[in-house]
């Protein structure tokens, strides 16, 4: 606990340095006295730009269905997502959003349907990566930051390092320090926001054309969440990576999504075009 007081007083005139940084990271709608309903009805105007013409390809999902026993979780899902675009999937807990994320990234096998990457009329390999809401679970606690990034690089290029130049580049892409002290830090000692950005960097080491983020900011404070959101937006915009985000956070959906789809009764519904 760093500051105590009436909510409006703390939000309008915070005295602690850390509190001020958190308040500064809040979207303007969160500080407005308007009702939550009114605020959520006016999405943030900061949208991702479309990818440049140099970025090609798209995710194509056709007839994707999945069951758990007799329960239908996903029912003939169709989805198309171009390189450099972001699609946000929202929905109640337990409707199958995380199942969809795992199916698209290969963590669960598809029972029925087709998932591939399409370039023109040709099919290309789908290279996908998953960013979950629990970053420390995705990192080996005994690894240093450099080891965490060197491992996927070695798997990608099928040779041993050194990987200093590549590690520096990956850290720079997600806004993490490139100093020797940071590279030698154990992943268990990273903050939640640092760990999540390291997970993103580790995913980038495999050169994905699709990045799936499952509640990527759910376990983070507002300041760390905004940094992670900025990293995801930049990767999508600058590198042309197709980005699929699963979230309960309407402000995250408003800031990231070119379009938002609701998963309900096993189907994607309520498509909303981005601004």
């Amino acid at each position: 606990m760093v500051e105590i007081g009436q909510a409006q007083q703390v939000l309008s005139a915070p005295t602690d340095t850390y509190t001020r940084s958190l308040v500064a990271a809040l979207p303007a709608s969160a500080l407005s006295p308007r009702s939550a309903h009114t605020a959520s009805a006016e999405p943030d105007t900061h949208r991702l730009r479309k990818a440049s013409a140099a970025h090609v390809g798209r995710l194509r999902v056709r007839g994707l269905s999945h069951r758990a026993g007799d329960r239908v979780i996903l029912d003939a899902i169709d989805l198309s997502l171009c390189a450099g675009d972001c699609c946000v999937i929202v929905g109640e807990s337990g409707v199958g959003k995380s199942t969809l994320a795992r199916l698209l990234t290969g963590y669960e096998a598809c029972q029925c349907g087709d998932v591939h990457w399409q370039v023109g009329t040709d099919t290309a390999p789908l290279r996908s990566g998953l960013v979950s809401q629990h970053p420390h679970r995705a990192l080996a606690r005994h690894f240093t930051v450099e080891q965490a990034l060197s491992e996927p690089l070695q798997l990608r290029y099928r040779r041993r390092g050194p990987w200093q130049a590549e590690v520096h580049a990956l850290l720079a892409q997600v806004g993490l320090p490139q100093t020797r002290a940071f590279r030698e830090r154990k992943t268990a000692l990273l903050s939640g926001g640092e760990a999540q950005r390291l997970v993103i960097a580790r995913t980038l080491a495999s050169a994905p054309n699709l990045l799936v983020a499952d509640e990527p900011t759910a376990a983070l404070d507002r300041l760390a969440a905004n940094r992670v959101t900025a990293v995801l937006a930049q990767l999508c915009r600058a590198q042309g990576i197709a980005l699929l985000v699963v979230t309960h956070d309407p402000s995250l959906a408003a800031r990231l999504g070119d379009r938002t789809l609701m998963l309900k009764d096993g189907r994607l519904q309520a498509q909303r075009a981005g601004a």
Side-chain angles (χ1 to χ4, degrees):
M1 186 73 67
V2 295
E3 189 162 345
I4 299 175
Q6 294 294 321
Q8 190 59 38
Q9 177 185 350
V10 172
L11 289 173
S12 61
T15 59
D16 183 83
T17 301
Y18 182 65
T19 309
R20 286 198 296 269
S21 67
L22 289 177
V23 172
L26 286 169
S29 59
L31 302 177
S32 170
R34 297 175 300 168
S35 68
H37 175 77
T38 303
S40 63
E42 299 179 9
D44 196 317
T45 58
H46 294 288
R47 302 287 188 170
L48 295 179
R49 295 181 301 172
K50 298 293 184 181
S52 70
H55 299 304
V56 295
R58 67 175 60 199
L59 169 71
R60 297 300 297 268
V61 179
R62 290 292 178 266
L64 183 62
S65 298
H66 197 79
R67 288 175 173 266
D70 294 332
R71 181 192 171 204
V72 176
I73 299 177
L74 301 175
D75 184 13
I77 293 288
D78 290 340
L79 178 65
S80 178
L81 180 61
C82 292
D85 283 352
C86 175
C87 179
V88 178
I89 306 292
V90 298
E92 297 178 354
S93 296
V95 297
K97 301 188 304 298
S98 293
T99 297
L100 176 60
R102 291 194 298 271
L103 289 171
L104 294 180
T105 51
Y107 283 86
E108 286 193 37
C110 293
Q111 297 174 350
C112 180
D114 180 55
V115 178
H116 65 271
W117 188 258
Q118 181 176 325
V119 179
T121 58
D122 298 325
T123 298
L126 173 62
R127 302 184 307 275
S128 57
L130 178 65
V131 177
S132 71
Q133 62 180 295
H134 301 294
H136 282 105
R137 296 182 187 177
L139 298 168
R141 294 176 57 85
H142 62 284
F143 269 20
T144 65
V145 168
E146 185 152 352
Q147 287 172 327
L149 294 179
S150 296
E151 183 185 52
L153 288 169
Q154 182 172 333
L155 292 173
R156 175 183 172 187
Y157 293 108
R158 300 182 183 277
R159 63 178 176 83
R160 293 186 176 275
W163 303 105
Q164 279 83 359
E166 291 85 352
V167 167
H168 277 258
L170 288 168
L171 291 172
Q173 287 181 66
V174 297
L176 287 174
Q178 301 163 53
T179 62
R180 179 177 179 180
F182 185 80
R183 298 196 318 271
E184 293 181 351
R185 188 181 302 177
K186 298 291 186 181
T187 63
L189 301 179
L190 299 178
S191 69
E194 289 171 336
Q196 191 65 294
R197 283 185 282 164
L198 179 60
V199 169
I200 295 172
R202 181 177 163 86
T203 303
L204 293 177
S206 300
N209 41 32
L210 170 67
L211 187 63
V212 179
D214 186 0
E215 298 284 5
T217 62
L220 307 179
D221 65 39
R222 177 61 64 176
L223 186 61
N226 275 7
R227 287 172 176 166
V228 168
T229 301
V231 166
L232 292 173
Q234 174 66 13
L235 292 173
C236 184
R237 179 174 62 243
Q239 296 193 25
I241 297 174
L243 178 62
L244 184 74
V245 179
V246 169
T247 184
H248 287 93
D249 184 352
S251 67
L252 181 62
R255 282 177 287 163
L256 276 179
D258 292 309
R259 56 186 168 131
T260 299
L261 303 176
M262 176 176 289
L263 184 59
K264 184 177 181 180
D265 298 327
R267 291 181 174 271
L268 292 176
Q269 306 174 6
Q271 182 169 348
R272 176 173 59 81

